Each structure stands twice: as C-alpha cells, then as structure tokens.
Amino acid sequence: MATTHRYQIPAVALTAPHSAEFEVSKSRFITWIARCESIADAQQLEQLARATYADARHHCSAFIAGAPGEQVAIGFSDDGEPGGTAGRPIYQVLEGSGLGQLGCVVIRYFGGIKLGTGGLVRAYTKAALLALEHLPTQAYVSTEPVKLQVGFSDEHPARHWCETAGARITQVDYSANGPVLTLEWPCDQPLQLDQLALSLTTPPQLVDTVPQ
C-alpha cells in the first residue's frame, strides 16, 4: 500500500473531544472523538472518558493512530460487551471515514433492556457515525526533517521560498559558511533545490553534502 502523505484529521484536541449522543431502548450512548497521534493519545482519551463518565457500564473504543489505512497503530475494545459487538464496529466506521489520527470512545449507560448482539452492533455503529457527521476536520501533511545551508545574504529569500512551498522552519543555526535552516518539509512534494537556487546568489546545499 502506498504511503499516504496528505489526509484529513480531526480538528479536535484530546482535552476537548467532539461528542454526540442518542438513546435506544433506554440505553444512552455518548460518543467522544478526538485527534490521536499515537496509541498513548488513544489510551489517554479512553482514560478521560472513564474519569468523566465513571458510573457508565461500558467505555468501548477504537483508534487509528496514523494515516488512513494504518495497519499497526490501531486497536479496539469491547469493554465487557459481547465480543465483536462494540469495538470492531466502531473501528470499521473509523476505517471507512477515510480520516487519520483519530480515536473514538463510546460510553454506554445500560437502560435495563438487552439489545442482543445485532442490536449492539447497530447501536455502536450508529454512535460512531453520528459523531462523525459534524466532526470538524483539517488537512494534515506528513513531513520529514531537512537541513539546508544557504549563503549569508540568501537567508531571507530562502526563508520566503521554503515557507511558500509549505515547509515549516523550526530552527536556524549560523556556521562559518552561512545559515543552516532546519525544515519540516512536506513529504508529498519533492525538494527542488534547482528552483530555490534561481532566487539565491549562491547555490543552496543539503547539510550532509556540505564539506566540513
């Protein structure tokens, strides 16, 4: 599978998750969704849900802590519901959304009426789908670190060119040969140094190729 470098993610922090809820057969379902960049983030989201709704019967969850199609940093939990009736249906909804870096917790307050396995699958699927309907999202572009050396008189135009290309400058160090820009370069586009060179007085170089 080709690596996905640009995709949509939840524009919602762990500390302020997006929520939705509904009721079926007297059971109340509350869904939380937030951006989860890592498995630890997904675990934290679940812990926050458990702390906030400590008296709920179940806190079922699923997450994709990476790009859409991620196969390693994923997981789901039924948290006491019959196997395959909660965590997996939630995960399948997340997977079908095309979003990345997201975690979901569905909290259930049991209303005294059993839903059956089919009813549980439908309820947890609906809970995840409802939360996704109005979930705010934003574009995410994966990056890679790049160190670029330019001449002293070229720092300003180099900064402008990099920022226009969508790169984020995280650090600038000054060596005897000129500034070294540390960039977070978008992975979905090539670094065309020949294009940058057109606006500079001296050719730019990747740090690894600069003589020491």
Side-chain angles (χ1 to χ4, degrees), residues 46 60-63 74-79 84 86-92:
E46 182 180 342
C60 304
S61 61
F63 64 88
I74 60 174
F76 47 85
S77 168
D78 293 314
D79 190 38
R88 182 174 289 278
I90 297 168
Y91 171 76
Q92 289 173 335

Side-chain angles (χ1 to χ4, degrees), residues 68-124:
E70 168 68 44
Q71 297 297 309
V72 178
I74 60 174
F76 47 85
S77 168
D78 293 314
D79 190 38
E81 295 282 30
T85 63
R88 182 174 289 278
I90 297 168
Y91 171 76
Q92 289 173 335
V93 171
L94 300 187
E95 186 179 39
S97 72
L99 300 176
Q101 299 185 26
L102 76 167
C104 177
V105 182
V106 179
I107 301 100
R108 181 189 180 191
Y109 282 91
F110 181 55
I113 300 175
K114 293 185 177 181
L115 302 180
T117 56
L120 286 171
V121 169
R122 289 190 293 272
Y124 281 102

Side-chain angles (χ1 to χ4, degrees), residues 40-83:
D41 284 348
Q43 292 171 338
Q44 183 180 351
L45 180 64
E46 182 180 342
Q47 290 166 1
L48 288 170
R50 288 183 181 277
T52 303
Y53 300 99
D55 57 338
R57 176 74 67 88
H58 304 284
H59 303 79
C60 304
S61 61
F63 64 88
I64 300 173
E70 168 68 44
Q71 297 297 309
V72 178
I74 60 174
F76 47 85
S77 168
D78 293 314
D79 190 38
E81 295 282 30

